[in-house]
Amino acid sequence: MNLLIAKWGDSLAVRIPAEYLHHAGMSEGDQIQANLTVDGGICLHPGNWDRKAFLKEIAQTRDRMPMTDSVIDELRREARY
């Protein structure tokens, strides 16, 4: 999803869709942590990050992923030595 950076007083702001906030467990008034990533991106996390909830979400995501060939095995088959 492409978002627009807009002027908000003397600052710039990005509107985050409500669906994204709900999925991340955030709502109006919550504090978030912002970090710069190695590739120049911005990563936002809830200020009250819940490790157990995160692990549960990762497990559910993993369970929904189809099992395919190992990426490493695929790279080895394609490797040129």
Side-chain angles (χ1 to χ4, degrees):
M1 170 182 287
N2 290 323
L3 302 175
L4 178 68
I5 298 175
K7 188 101 169 139
W8 187 20
D10 289 335
S11 300
L12 298 176
V14 175
R15 286 184 151 181
I16 302 171
E19 179 183 332
Y20 283 30
L21 292 174
H22 177 72
H23 184 72
M26 295 185 279
S27 60
E28 183 179 353
D30 288 352
Q31 290 192 5
I32 60 171
Q33 294 179 356
N35 299 306
L36 294 175
T37 61
V38 176
D39 63 352
I42 300 173
C43 184
L44 304 175
H45 292 282
N48 56 347
W49 187 59
D50 183 353
R51 180 182 293 268
K52 289 182 182 179
F54 177 71
L55 291 174
K56 182 178 177 183
E57 182 179 342
I58 293 294
Q60 290 171 346
T61 301
R62 183 190 62 226
D63 293 343
R64 289 191 305 260
M65 296 173 110
M67 292 298 283
T68 60
D69 290 338
S70 166
V71 172
I72 297 299
D73 291 342
E74 188 174 332
L75 288 172
R76 286 180 180 147
R77 283 194 300 271
E78 300 292 325
R80 297 178 193 176
Y81 294 103

